[in-house]
Amino acid sequence: MAKLDILEFPDPRLRTIAKPVADVDHRIHQLLDDMFETLYAAPGIGLAATQVNIHKQVVVIDISDEQTQPLVFINPAITVLEGEEHEYDEGCLSVPGFYETITRPDKIRVTALDREGKSFEMLPEGLLAVCIQHELDHLNGKLFVDYLSPLKRQRIKKKLEKQHRQNG
Ligand code: QAP
Ligand code: CO
């Protein structure tokens, strides 16, 4: 296992569109293990392969307090179900130190492949629904800051760029 480096906004590689996984083989298993190690070390609740500069449709999530409920989504697809929109304070490992309120649909259907390459369906609500939508955005080159006003996004960009300069 290995901890992976996480790309940070405004790194242009975060804008790459991820490709579907053709075979859930041992290389994907290695990637999943490394992504969970990276997620749990951060710690975070969700990580997309895009964030570790691997442009494949792979997402790992664990919203449990004890890091005991790992969820794998390979080639995920979402449909929005009839229902309300919810506001959530979102953060992102690629936008460290910034949290903003984002509005998204509350009820979705997700289909994906699991660690064994077997397809499954899920009807998440609440935080899990938010997190899956946030991570799927990453696979499409989109970040939560894209939902903010240009002014707010620019402020976050400048602050992170300054940090990156200071950290070398
Ligand atoms: C996405 O984000 C998410 O700023 C996952 O300094 C977040 O795991 C979806 C993190 C909230 C819904 C609600 C962020 C860790 C982790 C930071 C994360 C930080 C350290 C973010
Ligand atoms: Co994120």
Side-chain angles (χ1 to χ4, degrees):
M1 298 239 286
K3 218 173 71 145
L4 306 169
D5 287 334
I6 299 175
L7 302 177
E8 293 188 5
F9 178 69
D11 193 309
R13 293 173 289 183
L14 286 167
R15 300 308 185 178
T16 313
I17 309 289
K19 292 200 167 70
V21 171
D23 289 299
V24 182
D25 56 15
H26 73 277
R27 287 159 57 243
I28 297 296
H29 286 166
Q30 182 66 53
L31 174 62
L32 289 168
D33 290 347
D34 291 347
M35 285 175 66
F36 274 115
E37 184 172 344
T38 308
L39 179 72
Y40 288 149
I45 60 169
L47 183 69
T50 309
Q51 294 175 273
V52 293
N53 201 28
I54 307 279
H55 302 288
K56 295 179 181 167
Q57 293 179 10
V58 175
V59 164
V60 299
I61 291 177
D62 191 335
I63 61 164
S64 72
D65 288 334
E66 314 289 334
Q67 304 190 332
T68 49
Q69 286 168 56
L71 299 174
V72 165
F73 300 87
I74 298 167
N75 300 346
I78 288 176
T79 50
V80 173
L81 303 181
E82 195 83 10
E84 292 171 25
E85 303 227 299
H86 271 229
E87 289 187 342
Y88 244 101
D89 272 349
E90 293 190 26
C92 180
L93 287 166
S94 295
V95 192
F98 294 89
Y99 289 84
E100 295 287 344
T101 305
I102 308 291
T103 304
R104 298 185 190 266
D106 187 48
K107 292 189 175 162
I108 58 172
R109 168 183 290 115
V110 186
T111 61
L113 304 179
D114 65 16
R115 196 185 159 89
E116 272 62 62
K118 196 166 157 287
S119 70
F120 67 96
E121 184 182 87
M122 202 185 252
L123 297 168
E125 295 179 24
L127 177 58
L128 184 56
V130 173
C131 198
I132 292 171
Q133 291 175 79
H134 175 115
E135 302 310 331
L136 206 116
D137 274 353
H138 278 301
L139 301 182
N140 291 315
K142 189 159 181 167
L143 297 166
F144 84 92
V145 297
D146 299 345
Y147 296 98
L148 305 175
S149 70
L151 181 63
K152 271 193 178 173
R153 185 165 53 252
Q154 189 66 10
R155 280 199 193 129
I156 293 172
K157 179 169 172 261
K158 291 290 168 211
K159 284 183 190 166
L160 283 174
E161 280 173 341
K162 187 174 170 191
Q163 278 183 32
H164 296 159
R165 278 197 302 278
Q166 285 169 346
N167 301 337

